[in-house]
Amino acid sequence: MPGRLIASSICSLDGYTVDAAGRFDWSAPDAELHAFINDRERPIGTHLYGRRMYDTLKVWQTMDDPEPVMRDFAALWRAADKVVYSTTLAEASTPRTRVERAFDPDAVRALKAGTDRDLSIGGPTLAAHAFVAGLVDEVQLFVQPIAVGGGTPALPPGQRVDLRLEDERRFAGGAVFLRYAVTTA
């Protein structure tokens, strides 16, 4: 079976990945949620990132946190392949990472077809391209118990995305996990 493309985001209750000031400190998962996110990351073979998301996450390459949940995530991140879409990044600064100048839906289709491991797409701007191209198979939202009132939306604005709820889970800290299959209209 070919890999699925999963759009995954930590977001506010009102659907934003960062607030209007560009901050996302409110989105930091507690240990319980982080461990669950780690388990969701285990089947991922390749991450597709925009430059800003890559710049945010590349700290995991050298992260040496004493907390087991943090060490686990760092190991998962290091083990996965990464594709960064950027017109400005000269080269990747982490192993197992390549830079592509433009998002090519056909190339992503080929990536999906050529693997039995799932792919994830991180960063709402990049994910919007995948939604428009009909490439996203699943949406995973980790909804934090906060409304930030504006910012960058987790899902593409102006784009209809039909979804079927497949799974949900509540966490003691107030976060909720929602997993949806993308369906056709």
Side-chain angles (χ1 to χ4, degrees), residues 3-68:
R4 298 171 303 148
L5 183 60
I6 301 168
S8 181
S9 292
I10 297 175
C11 65
S12 63
L13 181 61
D14 51 351
Y16 296 100
T17 59
V18 298
D19 63 24
R23 292 190 325 260
F24 55 92
D25 55 332
W26 49 264
S27 70
D30 63 18
E32 179 192 21
L33 179 57
H34 208 299
F36 183 80
I37 290 170
N38 290 358
D39 288 341
R40 304 301 309 173
E41 291 291 310
R42 287 185 208 294
I44 303 299
T46 304
H47 295 280
L48 309 179
Y49 295 129
R51 184 198 47 80
R52 284 180 295 208
M53 182 61 74
Y54 173 70
D55 284 346
T56 299
L57 293 174
K58 69 184 178 184
V59 299
W60 293 99
Q61 188 63 39
T62 57
M63 179 80 66
D64 189 26
D65 195 289
E67 291 297 319

Side-chain angles (χ1 to χ4, degrees), residues 88-101:
T88 59
L89 187 65
E91 62 184 36
S93 61
T94 57
R96 301 185 70 137
T97 307
R98 75 174 194 269
V99 176
E100 295 289 339
R101 295 294 166 220

Side-chain angles (χ1 to χ4, degrees), residues 11 13 30 32-33 142-146 169-177:
C11 65
L13 181 61
D30 63 18
E32 179 192 21
L33 179 57
F142 302 90
V143 182
Q144 292 286 32
I146 185 172
R169 179 174 168 184
R170 294 180 190 186
F171 294 88
V176 176
F177 167 70

Side-chain angles (χ1 to χ4, degrees), residues 57-142:
L57 293 174
K58 69 184 178 184
V59 299
W60 293 99
Q61 188 63 39
T62 57
M63 179 80 66
D64 189 26
D65 195 289
E67 291 297 319
V69 71
M70 303 290 268
R71 294 177 84 77
D72 185 29
F73 186 83
L76 292 166
W77 194 85
R78 291 175 193 139
D81 293 326
K82 293 159 275 296
V83 180
V84 181
Y85 297 91
S86 173
T87 58
T88 59
L89 187 65
E91 62 184 36
S93 61
T94 57
R96 301 185 70 137
T97 307
R98 75 174 194 269
V99 176
E100 295 289 339
R101 295 294 166 220
F103 183 81
D104 179 357
D106 290 332
V108 174
R109 276 188 199 85
L111 271 175
K112 287 173 62 172
T115 185
D116 59 354
R117 297 200 59 199
D118 289 337
L119 299 89
S120 76
I121 190 158
T125 303
L126 181 63
H129 294 294
F131 277 109
V132 168
L135 294 169
V136 178
D137 301 296
E138 183 173 297
V139 175
Q140 295 180 8
L141 298 175
F142 302 90

